[in-house]
Each structure stands twice: as structure tokens, then as C-alpha cells.
Amino acid sequence: MPAHSLDLVLSPASDDLIRSRWAALHGAGLPSLATHRGASNAPHITALSTPALPEHVLDRAREVFSTLLPCSVDVAGLLILGHGPFVLAESVIVPSGVTGAVRELERIAAESRPQARPWVPHLTLGKRLTAAQVGEALDVLADVPTPRTVEVTGLRRWDPEHRVTAMVVG
């Protein structure tokens, strides 16, 4: 079953910075999100992923994040996830209030989802990379400006059943 999600979305300027990194990977013939054409394809930090998103969880997300956003998020550096194929991402350090809000939403959503993995806030750059492609991607991205911070301006919901996104906050 596809997962519903709540995603932290970026300001237009921060969105452009991440898209420039997608484009650099794509230009080098490497997997990147630059060519993904789905409704949910925009740079984002997934805050919650769950098989169902009950209305009380959505209401609480709206309440909590309306006081936390907008906010600035530090970009800590590149992160490689998985055991192969790999995900290449920018690791981000979110404010403690955002971390607390995500943990609260995980707790109240727990009844509608299996045991979740720990939250690792990140901005995905490319998926399904081989080990060799990860090395190539690191070389390519070394020549592309890396943002030190990005601005998070909103929270959106991804509804996979209807294949639409909708702003919750912002």
C-alpha cells in the first residue's frame, strides 16, 4: 500500500538550490529526481510517512507546525542511505521544535502504521544508485554549490490514493 506523507516544503529559492543539484546529477547521466514527473516531486523533507493519515493526526500537524514554520534548516552534508541500491541525499539538521513535532506525530499515528524506522531528516537527490554511481555523484556534486541552509516554508500532505498534494500549513 502506498504511503501517505506529511512533507516539509522549501521556499522557492531553496527549492531552486536543490533542483540545481538534481540537474547536475541528471546532466552527468546519473539517477536524480530531476526527471520524476509525479505530483509529489519537489524538494522536501518527509516528516511522517504512514499507510493512513487519520484526520486527528492531520489536525495536530496543522496546529503544531503553524507555530514552527517558516524556519531555517542547516544542510550538514551528503548522506548515503541503504544497502544498495543507494539513496543520495543532503542531510539536514532541523530545529528541535520540528524534531519534537515529528516525534509527537509519530506517536499519535502509531496505531495506523507498523513500527517505523527512526526519522532521518534529509533532502533526497537521487535514488537507486549503484556503488559506482555514488562515487560519480560525489564527484559531480563537488563542483555544484552546496547550500548551507534551506528555508522551510510549509507542510504539505501527499495523498497517494488520489495522487495529489495539498498544503496543510503555509
Side-chain angles (χ1 to χ4, degrees), residues 110-122:
E111 70 269 7
S112 65
R113 65 187 211 161
Q115 180 64 32
R117 295 178 297 211
W119 186 48
V120 178
H122 64 278

Side-chain angles (χ1 to χ4, degrees), residues 90-126:
E90 294 287 358
S91 175
V92 295
I93 302 169
V94 299
S96 62
V98 170
T99 299
V102 168
R103 294 232 163 86
E104 179 183 349
L105 293 176
E106 287 175 335
R107 279 192 305 277
I108 63 175
E111 70 269 7
S112 65
R113 65 187 211 161
Q115 180 64 32
R117 295 178 297 211
W119 186 48
V120 178
H122 64 278
L123 291 156
T124 301
L125 300 176

Side-chain angles (χ1 to χ4, degrees), residues 119-153:
W119 186 48
V120 178
H122 64 278
L123 291 156
T124 301
L125 300 176
K127 295 180 178 182
R128 295 182 283 286
L129 283 84
T130 66
Q133 288 173 321
V134 168
E136 291 175 50
L138 296 175
D139 286 341
V140 167
L141 293 175
D143 296 329
V144 180
T146 304
R148 290 202 171 292
T149 62
V150 292
E151 296 301 315
V152 174
T153 56

Side-chain angles (χ1 to χ4, degrees), residues 3-17:
H4 292 253
S5 67
L6 292 175
D7 304 318
L8 297 165
V9 294
L10 308 181
S11 70
S14 294
D15 184 283
D16 287 347
L17 287 171

Side-chain angles (χ1 to χ4, degrees), residues 8-67:
L8 297 165
V9 294
L10 308 181
S11 70
S14 294
D15 184 283
D16 287 347
L17 287 171
I18 299 303
R19 287 180 189 273
S20 72
R21 296 180 66 75
W22 290 0
L25 292 172
H26 178 68
L30 295 166
S32 119
L33 295 183
T35 58
H36 184 290
R37 297 291 175 233
S40 65
N41 191 44
H44 67 274
I45 303 164
T46 300
L48 181 70
S49 180
T50 183
L53 191 55
E55 199 61 37
H56 71 281
V57 175
L58 193 57
D59 289 343
R60 184 61 182 149
R62 189 175 291 113
E63 182 181 337
V64 172
F65 279 99
S66 67
T67 65

